[in-house]
Each structure stands twice: as structure tokens, then as C-alpha cells.
Amino acid sequence: MITELFHPITAVLAVSIALAFISVQMKTRRRMMGAKLGADILYGVYLTAIGGLSGGLASLIAACGSLTQVLTPEHKLGSTLMLRILMAIMLSLAAMLVSVRSPDDLLPILAVVFCRFVEIQKDPQRIRYGFFLSAFPWLFYNYSNGFYWPMAYNIVIATSLLIAIILSLI
């Protein structure tokens, strides 16, 4: 694990962690999704590079969802809802066909589908709650595959979400 720390691809994960940490601290849905878009792309690249194909594809599907969230004005969220959910489900099914080798490989894909429903919320606090819940399937996926740096990523993001949730209640 220590040697992985100095591998160049780890820099991709570090930037992804920074963007994900920043995203959940944002006050508006659009800014939150914009930072999450960058984090999702980099996390997908990282996981794919280290051999986590289903997690990498799931993260890139999440990036597609984040992109549509950034591009969709808040007043149009309702009218594009079904299209966005159907696209996420179709992309997830395609990802399952090409990447699932064990039941654990389903976890990130299912977490991404769950997050598509979460991201339709206008309230950033509700989005934070949903993202917090989705961290646990990712954590288990990374653990079961021996991806320890991504586990650290999940812990940092879950902690950041918890801090943001608590701060917004104060």
C-alpha cells in the first residue's frame, strides 16, 4: 500500500478526493454537482486504472448524472426526471453486462442508481443524506477488492458529508 502512494495514478485519486470533499460543502445544488462531476470522472479513471472496472464504470455513470444535473436548470428538473433515470438505469445495465464478475461488483452500480434518485432533490441537505448512505456500498466494494486507498477516499467523503450535515443543522 505504501508503494501505491507514490504511483502517479494516486495523484488522480488525490485530486478526486479534494473535489469530492469540496463538493459536499457547497451551498447550491449546481455547484455541488459541478465539483462532484470532476470528482466522479477522476475516481472512475483511477478505479479503472487499478483494475476496478465495475467501480470505474459506475463512477463514470455517476459523472454523466452529475453533468446532466449541472446542465439542467432547477426549474426543468421535474421535466427531465424520467429521461435521466432511464439513462442511468440503461448505462448501469450495460456496465453490469461488461464488468460484473462477482456480487460485490454490483454494489457501486446499485449505489449509482440510488444516487440518481437522490440527485433529483432540490435541497442540498437531502442530497448530502443520500450521498452519505451511498458511501457504504462503495466502502464494502473497495474493501472486498482490496482497494485500500479508495476505501480511504470513501471514509474521507463520508466524514465530509457528516460534517456538512451537522453544520447545516447548527
Side-chain angles (χ1 to χ4, degrees), residues 5-169:
L5 181 61
F6 300 107
H7 195 283
I9 194 69
T10 307
V12 172
L13 180 64
V15 174
S16 179
I17 289 171
L19 286 171
F21 185 84
I22 291 167
S23 75
V24 299
Q25 306 301 324
M26 298 286 180
K27 301 286 185 211
T28 66
R29 181 190 63 82
R30 182 167 274 183
R31 286 185 178 176
M32 183 185 290
M33 293 296 110
K36 185 180 175 301
L37 170 63
D40 287 341
I41 290 170
L42 294 174
Y43 193 54
V45 167
Y46 177 82
L47 282 174
T48 302
I50 66 168
L53 184 59
S54 69
L57 290 175
S59 194
L60 294 173
I61 292 167
C64 291
S66 297
L67 178 63
T68 59
Q69 292 293 317
V70 168
L71 297 176
T72 304
E74 288 206 30
H75 67 278
K76 297 272 186 177
L77 282 176
S79 63
T80 62
L81 173 63
M82 282 313 262
L83 174 64
R84 288 180 284 136
I85 290 173
L86 287 174
M87 289 301 292
I89 291 171
M90 289 189 318
L91 288 171
S92 296
L93 289 172
M96 283 182 207
L97 288 173
V98 299
S99 69
V100 172
R101 296 173 308 225
S102 73
D104 295 346
D105 288 340
L106 289 170
L107 293 172
I109 296 170
L110 295 174
V112 165
V113 171
F114 171 74
C115 281
R116 293 301 68 79
F117 289 97
V118 168
E119 289 175 357
I120 62 174
Q121 303 295 316
K122 291 181 182 177
D123 180 15
Q125 186 70 344
R126 286 185 176 179
I127 295 171
R128 288 183 194 102
Y129 287 135
F131 286 172
F132 180 76
L133 292 175
S134 75
F136 296 99
W138 279 99
L139 189 61
F140 187 79
Y141 165 78
N142 286 323
Y143 175 77
S144 68
N145 285 288
F147 301 150
Y148 300 113
W149 287 118
M151 277 179 59
Y153 172 96
N154 297 135
I155 291 167
V156 166
I157 300 314
T159 303
S160 175
L161 284 160
L162 195 56
I163 290 168
I165 289 167
I166 291 169
L167 288 176
S168 70
L169 295 174

